[in-house]
Structures are given as C-alpha cells and as structure tokens.
C-alpha cells in the first residue's frame, strides 16, 4: 500500500478532524451569539467568499431560523445590482454584519465591510456602526486588527489548521448556526456518530467516508469524473458547498472530480458515459420521483451512489462524511486536497486590471456586435458570420466530451438563476455534455481552481453586463462595478493563457432584454445534437473500470445511510 498523502504539507491542515476544537469553544460562541440575537437585530448579513460562506449558507437553507434567531442573508458578490437589492430589503439600523475571511485579507469581504460600515455610520455614527459588526477570522489577520480598531461587537477566531473549504464545522459555520437560533454544541453532538464511523477503529469496508472517497476516486480514474449531484429538495443547498469541496480539493495537476450541481434533469439515454451520479437523499423529506430517476439511471448502466442524510442537525454528519471522502478521493487521484495552486493567478490579473481604474478600456475589441450583445474572445470562432454561428462554433467541440461552464457576472437572484438553468438545459441538450453554472466572482472561490488546474476538458462562456451605476468602497481604488469587470476579464485571460477555450458575451443596456436575446441565440445555435445510444445494463462495466452501480443499504449510527457500490 502506498502513502496516503503527496508528501507536501497535508499534515498541517487536519484540524477539521477535530470539530469544535480550537480557540472558539462552542459554549462561548453560543453565548456571544445569544447576546447578539437579543440586541435589537432582526437580520444578519454574512459578508465573505467561498469557504467562509458556502457552508453557512447551506446551514441557513437546510436548518432555517429557530426561535429567537435572526434571518441570515449571504452576500458573496461584487455585483452592484445584487448589493443594492439586498440593501433595499434591510433596515440597516437593525442589521448585524458578519465579516468572514480566514486570511482576513479577502478582497470582496473587505470591500463589502467597508461599504456597509460607511452606510451604517452615516445613519448611526462611526462608533455605533462598529458595534453592528462582528468578524470571523484566523488569529493575527488584518481583519482581526480592523475589528479591534473599529470596535466590532465580537471577533470569533478560526482554527489555523482548518482550511476554508473544510471550515463548516468550525466558527465559520457554527456562528451562522448560532445566529439562526440553533445550538452549535447540539450540531456537533449530532455529528459525532459519523465521526466515530469514520475513525480508524472501524473496519475499512464499514467506514462511510473512506468507502465514498474510494468510490469517487476510482470512478474518476475510470473516466467517470463528472460527479452529478441529484439532491432531494431539502438538500439542494448542500450542492453549492460540495462544488467547492470537490472542485478545489481535487481539481489540480490536470486531474480532478468535476462536480455538477443543479443541472436540469435529462433522460438516462441523454447522458454520456463520463458521469457518476450521487443521489443526496433526505430521510426527512424523500423525493420519490428523484429516487425513481436514480433507479432508472442505474438500470441504464450509469454508476449511481446514494447518500442518505438524517433530519435537522444530523446534516453535520453529511458535512463530515464528505470531508473525509474528498480527502480520500484526492489521495486516490494523487493530489494534495488542501492546497489551491492555481487560484492566485486570476487574482493577480484582477489586481492589475482594476488598479488602473479603466477596466473597460483594457477589454478586447468585440469579435462582433449583434443587438444588445457584444462578443469577445480569441478563438478560431472569430470568423463566424453571426452571433448564432459564433455560439455554435464555440460549443461544437464540446460534443466530443468534457464540460461547458456558464460563468455569469450577473446579480444572483431568482430571475438570473432561472435564466442560467434554462441556458444550461439548452446547452446540455444541444451538446450532450455536462454543464456547470456559476455566478461571478462567487465561482472563483469554488470551481475556479478546477477550471484552471484540473482536467483540461472545459469550455467557458462568460456573461457580463453593464452595471446600473458605480458603487464605491471606502479605501479601495476601484469600485464594485470596476472590480467585478476586472474579475471577469482577469479570469478569462488566465483561462485563455492556459489554453482553455473562452467566449464572453457582454450585455449592453437593459439586462432582461439582453438575456432574452441571448436565450434565443442559444436555442437557435444549439439544436439538439445526436446523442449516444442508451447504455445496456452492465455496458459501462465493460467500457470502464467504474462499471455498473448497484445499491445496498448499510446501517449508520445516528442516521439511515445507503451508499452505492461500484463493483
């Protein structure tokens, strides 16, 4: 048997194996949050990116608000329209702002904190404004220093040996649970059965984290690297957290698991043979229709795993199981699950673009302009005669495999989410490949590492739009609109520098009209492709080592758990 780790610094990042340990003890954390909840606040806004917010957001949606808790909103964007829309729904004099950043130097959380602190100070004065803010950060960071200087109501210290994407059972998730009115100690207690089940004292074949991780890793080696999440309605929020955990942990050195969350559902015959389906099943509110779909996929020869989650606070078990599984899958793939070597490249380009304050002038001349849409890129599609032809040419190579990612630098809200789902459905049916969807800059802290450092099989469609107006962040040279534009251009430049095919569509003027025009163009450009024939039962086993999925039920302490096996 070979070594588990790559020999890098993995041993420095294993604090997540001891949930609840570290400087912020659950009892003290809960007591502080109770005082904050009764201090006249009605809402809490979590300002952060990636691991600082994704786990907390999943907890907020899955657990909801308990008696005495605050309504929790997550703001992880530089989009001007999204920031203004949230601000319009809040009474700033009764809002608690939670600034979360492990490094304490995250660009987006720093800008958002500066903006809202100024807005609250304009209403209540600078000293009182500081009391409406708390921070979650590692000891000794710039954010901790700022919190102490500006009189924040509290500072919750993170555990330095816990990386951001493994931090949901640390203060980065526990503070959110406590502000929602839940007992963080109870969440950790409910997680304990899974911690024991994943320990070295349990036989390997009964260890749910190890078994799941081995299946994920071996399936990827056999060509089933598109981990397609089928989540019961109550567990859908888990998908965004899993996207980052899987993509950032394994997507490097030209390898990786490619998480596909919230993809519109297709018939089994429409899927290619690169899929591994994972049914996230809720014991509290099972979806019979989705369970039947998973069974149909398995009957058609697709590998299918089922992970069942208990109700309420038992969601902590699922967080821990997947953290163990992801580390094991990374070991199978031979990558370090705790680094992100390709993330800084886009950040450096963003800083260079935003530093001059003239981002628009640095953008390439459009390949063509059609109506409200301007198309940008440097690809062989540059000679296309029309916008529809340009989109068709950009998507055509994807028919042979890989995935297509729609990277939308738009306000994340119901309307744009519906549009993105519709566009993914159109592209999936037109090309037959897996589709990923992400809002920028949020996805940069989730799947950005995978896109640049993982398997070079992605094609990327960026969507940008005019900001309704510029919005300044005190202390920052560029406002939110310019920063978001720089983030889009910087990431596209970095992807193209690595040979990843990119096309950008910029919407000029009215956003709704531009999205409607782009929707029509996509439907015209991507008439359904000729899809592969249905897989005969067992055919995938002959084609790839991952083979055909069978399901079995295994007892899990504290929860009814089923996990599929790939023989």
């Amino acid at each position: 048997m070979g070594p588990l780790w790559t020999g890098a610094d993995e041993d420095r990042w294993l604090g997540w194996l001891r949930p609840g340990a570290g400087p912020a003890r659950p009892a003290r954390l809960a007591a502080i949050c109770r005082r904050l909840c009764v201090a006249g606040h009605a809402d809490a806004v979590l300002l952060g990116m990636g691991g600082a917010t994704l786990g907390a957001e999943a907890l907020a949606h899955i657990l909801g608000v308990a008696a005495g808790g605050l309504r929790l909103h997550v703001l992880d964007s530089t989009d001007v329209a999204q920031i203004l829309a949230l601000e319009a729904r809040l009474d700033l004099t009764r809002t608690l702002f939670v600034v979360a950043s492990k490094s304490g130097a995250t660009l987006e959380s720093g800008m958002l904190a500066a903006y809202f602190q100024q807005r609250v100070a304009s209403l209540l004065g600078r000293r009182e404004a500081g009391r409406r803010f708390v921070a979650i950060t590692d000891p000794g960071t710039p954010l901790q220093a700022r919190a102490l200087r500006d009189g924040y109501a509290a500072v919750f210290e993170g555990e330095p040996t816990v990386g951001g994407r493994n931090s949901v059972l640390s203060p980065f998730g526990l503070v959110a649970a406590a502000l929602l009115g839940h007992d963080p100690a109870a969440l950790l207690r409910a997680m304990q059965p899974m911690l024991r089940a994943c320990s070295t004292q349990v036989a390997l074949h009964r260890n749910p984290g190890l078994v799941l991780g081995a299946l994920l890793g071996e399936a990827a080696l056999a060509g089933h690297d598109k981990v397609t999440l089928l989540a019961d309605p109550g567990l859908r929020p888990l998908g965004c957290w899993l996207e980052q955990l899987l993509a950032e942990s394994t997507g490097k050195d030209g390898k990786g698991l490619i998480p596909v969350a919230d993809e519109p559902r297709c018939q089994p015959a429409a899927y290619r043979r690169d899929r591994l389906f994972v049914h996230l099943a809720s014991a509290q509110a099972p979806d019979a229709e989705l369970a039947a779909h998973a069974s149909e996929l398995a009957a058609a020869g697709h590998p299918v795993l089922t992970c069942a989650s208990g109700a309420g606070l038992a969601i902590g078990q699922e967080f821990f199981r997947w953290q163990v599984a992801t580390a094991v899958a990374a070991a199978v793939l031979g990558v370090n699950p705790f680094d992100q070597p390709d993330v800084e490249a886009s950040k450096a380009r963003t800083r260079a673009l935003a530093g001059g304050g003239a981002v628009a002038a640095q953008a390439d001349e459009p390949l063509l302009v059609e109506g409200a849409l301007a198309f940008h890129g440097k690809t062989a599609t540059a000679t296309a005669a029309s916008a529809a032809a340009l989109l068709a040419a950009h998507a055509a190579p994807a028919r042979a495999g890989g995935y297509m990612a729609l990277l939308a630098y738009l306000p994340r809200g119901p309307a744009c989410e519906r549009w993105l789902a519709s566009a993914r459905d159109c592209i999936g049916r037109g090309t037959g490949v897996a589709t990923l969807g992400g809002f920028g800059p949020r996805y940069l802290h989730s799947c950005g590492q995978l896109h640049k450092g993982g398997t070079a099989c992605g094609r990327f469609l960026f969507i940008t739009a005019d900001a309704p107006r510029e919005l300044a962040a005190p202390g920052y040279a560029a406002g939110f609109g310019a920063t978001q534009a720089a983030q889009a251009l910087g990431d596209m430049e970095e992807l193209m520098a690595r040979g990843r095919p990119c096309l950008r569509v910029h919407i000029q003027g009215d956003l709704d009209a531009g999205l409607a025009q782009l929707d029509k163009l996509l439907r015209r450009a991507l008439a359904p492709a000729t899809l592969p024939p249905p897989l005969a039962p067992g055919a995938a086993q002959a084609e790839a080592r991952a083979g055909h999925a069978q399901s079995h039920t295994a007892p899990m302490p504290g929860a009814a758990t089923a996990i599929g096996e790939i023989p």
Side-chain angles (χ1 to χ4, degrees), residues 196-208 210-211:
R196 291 192 294 268
C198 292
S199 75
T200 56
Q201 307 303 313
V202 176
L204 298 183
H205 69 283
R206 292 184 178 275
N207 183 318
L210 190 150
V211 169

Side-chain angles (χ1 to χ4, degrees), residues 175-492:
V175 168
L179 291 176
L180 286 162
H182 300 281
D183 181 2
L187 176 64
L188 293 175
R189 285 196 300 271
M191 178 274 308
Q192 288 296 317
M194 184 62 73
L195 188 151
R196 291 192 294 268
C198 292
S199 75
T200 56
Q201 307 303 313
V202 176
L204 298 183
H205 69 283
R206 292 184 178 275
N207 183 318
L210 190 150
V211 169
L212 176 58
L215 291 171
L216 291 169
E218 290 295 332
L221 293 178
H224 297 272
D225 60 348
K226 313 303 187 301
V227 182
T228 305
L229 303 172
L230 307 173
D232 283 358
L235 294 176
R236 279 191 64 190
L238 195 62
C240 292
W241 177 78
L242 282 171
E243 272 189 326
Q244 187 203 25
L245 182 68
L246 294 172
E248 202 165 71
S249 299
T250 69
K252 59 202 73 170
D253 300 336
K255 308 171 186 178
L257 301 172
I258 299 168
V260 183
D262 290 330
E263 187 181 49
R265 200 183 307 172
C266 293
Q267 293 298 315
Y271 294 109
R272 297 187 181 274
R273 301 179 182 186
D274 56 358
R275 302 278 188 150
L276 171 67
F277 293 93
V278 180
H279 179 201
L280 302 175
S282 170
Q284 183 178 27
D287 185 329
E289 184 180 345
L290 187 59
H293 179 61
S295 296
E296 290 170 0
L297 290 167
H302 292 290
V304 179
L305 307 177
T306 299
C307 294
S309 174
L313 296 176
I315 190 61
Q317 293 188 21
E318 212 58 28
F319 287 128
F320 191 78
R321 187 222 308 247
W322 277 94
Q323 288 178 162
V324 172
T326 302
V328 171
V332 173
L333 295 175
V335 298
N336 180 350
F338 307 121
D339 67 355
Q340 44 276 335
D342 303 292
V343 168
E344 183 59 32
S346 288
K347 293 181 181 179
R349 290 182 184 270
T350 294
R351 288 192 293 268
L353 286 167
V359 178
Q362 300 178 58
D364 294 329
E365 287 297 313
L367 302 173
L368 64 86
V369 177
E370 194 168 296
L373 307 180
F375 294 80
H376 299 258
K378 296 177 181 178
T379 68
T381 61
T383 57
S386 68
L390 190 62
L391 288 166
H394 182 65
R399 298 175 192 269
Y403 67 92
M404 280 202 68
L406 278 77
L407 308 176
Y409 283 80
L410 305 172
R412 185 166 68 100
C416 286
E417 287 177 339
R418 285 192 298 269
W419 184 90
L420 188 61
S422 176
R424 289 177 68 183
D425 186 49
C426 177
I427 291 172
R429 293 179 187 279
T431 64
V433 301
T435 63
L436 278 64
F439 285 90
R442 173 185 168 102
Y443 78 85
L444 290 171
H445 299 258
S446 178
C447 292
Q449 166 63 44
L450 169 75
H451 295 332
K452 289 179 279 292
T455 310
C457 63
R459 302 185 72 81
F460 303 92
L461 179 62
F462 285 76
I463 303 145
T464 57
D466 291 339
R469 66 181 177 87
E470 187 53 285
L471 199 64
Y476 291 84
F480 285 102
T483 297
Q484 186 188 45
Q487 289 171 317
L489 295 178
D491 194 47
M492 184 170 170

Side-chain angles (χ1 to χ4, degrees), residues 32-33 36 41 45 47 96-100 129-136 143 147 152-156 175 179:
I32 295 172
C33 289
L36 293 169
H41 305 299
V45 178
L47 309 175
L96 177 71
F97 291 91
V98 183
V99 189
R131 297 173 181 169
R132 308 303 171 101
F133 283 74
V134 301
I136 313 172
L143 174 56
Y152 278 24
V155 177
F156 300 95
V175 168
L179 291 176

